[in-house]
Each structure stands twice: as C-alpha cells, then as structure tokens.
C-alpha cells in the first residue's frame, strides 16, 4: 500500500536552467560561458548542495578562478540571484500534487539543494499540500546516497515501502529502491504519462 508520494524538485516540480541567470545578466558570450562553468558547473556547487561550504566561502573560491574583475562581479551577481531566474514553477505539476493530496496521499519533497532554498521554497507549485520538506544541505548528504533517503524516512516517520518517489534521474530512483522505496523516473517530463501511471497505484485498495 502506497500512502506517500515523494517528489524531487528540480526538473520535476520546477523547470531548471543552470545558465539562465547568466544569459540575462552577461552579454559577452565568452564571459558568460566562463561564469556559468565556474559557478553552476563547479565542485563548489556540489558542496553547497551537501552543506559543506557556506555561500560566502563558495563564491570566494569560484571568483578566484575567474580572470577579470568584471567576470568576478558578474559571478557574484548571478550567484546571488540565480534562484530568481533559473527555476520556473511547473503549474501542471502543482495540479497533480493537489490531485494526489485530495486522494489522501501524504506529500513530501526530497531534493538535492543548498540552504538557499530554505528561504524561497514557497515558489514550489502546490507547496501548501506538502507534509514535509527535506533539502540535502540540511543533512550534509545528497541523493543517491542511502543516508539521504534514511533521513527522509526518519525525520517524517515514514515507512519506505509505503512511499513512492518521483525524480528525473534514474540513479536517484535506484538509490530509493535500494532503501525500500519504489519510484518513477520523470526524465521525459510528461505529466500526463506520470498521472496515468500514478492512477494505478493501490488499484482496488482505498487509502486509509
């Protein structure tokens, strides 16, 4: 019996473009590519998701790899405002979240994300329906590490076999399965296909 639906955030509940903020603020193509790579494709970005660096420490390390003062300035601008531009809520997923909530499911979020998101996660569609939210930086590990899933189950008193996980990366789904939680890979972004799949969960068994 599946009682809880667990969602990833990026490229599931929200569309995410890692270079969008750079495309908005940086005109020079070479500088834009350099800043994008240095900030959003960096080891520091991963460390932020793992909660291993502060934002101040990460930005300082990122800027140190850029050659010009202007590029460093643009890196700071993009880094400080990325959450305002790189993420776009998927309202069709918000509709699905509300449908699932109305059917009696518990709704949870389990996402690799930095502490920045703790102050702006309200932009997630259907956020009013969520019973619990877990970001990786809070617990200093990331999916698909088993510790991430175990933190989810422990924090919200969930049984893995009663949870169903929706993520866009196969390795994260496999990580959940290794901990006893089945899932669905949402790599194609097709909401109707996902809705149809979920409609068959617990067929003939009403939620209690």
């Amino acid at each position: 019996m599946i009682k809880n639906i667990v969602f990833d955030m990026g490229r599931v509940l929200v569309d995410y473009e890692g270079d969008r903020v750079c495309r908005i603020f940086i005109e020079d193509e070479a500088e834009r590519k350099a800043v994008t790579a240095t900030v959003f494709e960096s080891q520091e970005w991963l460390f932020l998701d793992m909660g291993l660096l502060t934002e101040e420490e990460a930005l300082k390390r990122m800027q140190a790899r850029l050659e010009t003062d202007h590029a460093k300035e643009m890196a700071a601008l993009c880094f400080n405002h990325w959450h305002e531009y790189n993420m776009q809520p998927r309202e069709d997923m918000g509709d699905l979240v509300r449908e699932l909530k109305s059917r009696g499911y518990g709704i949870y979020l389990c996402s690799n994300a930095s502490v920045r998101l703790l102050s702006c996660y309200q932009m997630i569609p259907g956020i009013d329906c969520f019973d619990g939210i877990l970001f990786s930086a809070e617990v200093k590990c990331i999916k698909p590490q088993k510790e991430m899933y175990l933190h989810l189950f422990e924090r919200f008193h969930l049984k893995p076999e009663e949870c169903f996980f929706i993520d866009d990366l196969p390795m994260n789904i496999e990580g959940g399965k290794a901990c006893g939680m089945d899932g669905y890979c949402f790599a194609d972004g097709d909401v109707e296909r996902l809705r149809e799949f979920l409609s068959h969960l617990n067929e003939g068994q009403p939620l209690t």
Side-chain angles (χ1 to χ4, degrees):
M1 170 68 72
I2 299 299
K3 297 182 179 180
N4 308 290
I5 309 296
V6 182
F7 288 91
D8 177 34
M9 182 176 61
R11 299 191 175 93
V12 176
L13 295 171
V14 302
D15 287 325
Y16 179 82
E17 297 178 72
D19 67 340
R20 190 167 187 266
V21 68
C22 295
R23 288 189 276 111
I24 289 171
F25 286 120
I26 305 174
E27 294 183 4
D28 182 80
E29 183 178 358
E31 183 178 71
R32 184 168 61 247
K33 289 182 178 180
V35 171
T36 297
T38 299
V39 175
F40 300 107
E41 299 169 5
S42 66
Q43 186 179 60
E44 289 81 15
W45 195 258
L46 176 62
F47 287 167
L48 285 167
D49 280 356
M50 296 183 73
L52 301 179
L53 284 178
T54 66
E55 292 202 343
E56 293 76 13
E57 292 169 335
L59 178 58
K60 185 176 181 180
R61 289 171 55 161
M62 292 168 179
Q63 288 176 311
R65 293 195 296 273
L66 292 167
E67 297 180 357
T68 68
D69 289 341
H70 188 266
K72 293 177 182 181
E73 179 183 340
M74 290 296 100
L77 180 64
C78 293
F79 180 78
N80 290 330
H81 294 279
W82 68 266
H83 61 284
E84 300 168 17
Y85 296 94
N86 290 9
M87 298 187 299
Q88 301 296 318
R90 290 196 57 165
E91 295 305 330
D92 52 355
M93 287 298 289
D95 293 340
L96 177 59
V97 166
R98 293 183 185 92
E99 289 171 22
L100 293 168
K101 186 70 173 180
S102 71
R103 287 164 55 188
Y105 288 105
I107 306 293
Y108 296 88
L109 182 75
C110 182
S111 178
N112 289 349
S114 69
V115 293
R116 172 83 61 89
L117 273 298
L118 291 172
S119 64
C120 60
Y121 67 82
Q122 292 82 3
M123 54 82 68
I124 295 171
I127 191 61
D128 54 303
C129 296
F130 280 76
D131 298 288
I133 292 172
L134 178 65
F135 290 131
S136 58
E138 299 178 75
V139 291
K140 293 182 168 50
C141 56
I142 58 174
K143 300 175 295 184
Q145 293 177 303
K146 67 178 182 180
E147 290 81 4
M148 182 71 174
Y149 306 99
L150 297 180
H151 277 295
L152 174 75
F153 304 141
E154 181 178 357
R155 176 177 292 192
F156 302 116
H157 309 290
L158 304 175
K159 296 179 180 179
E161 65 273 16
E162 293 179 349
C163 298
F164 192 83
F165 185 38
I166 300 166
D167 196 289
D168 65 308
L169 296 178
M171 65 180 182
N172 291 342
I173 297 298
E174 292 304 316
K177 288 181 177 180
C179 295
M181 175 174 62
D182 202 358
Y184 179 98
C185 185
F186 189 59
D188 63 4
D190 189 326
V191 179
E192 289 309 313
R193 183 179 297 176
L194 173 60
R195 177 180 279 108
E196 172 65 17
F197 186 94
L198 294 175
S199 71
H200 297 292
L201 289 181
N202 304 321
E203 276 193 333
Q205 301 181 68
L207 288 174
T208 57

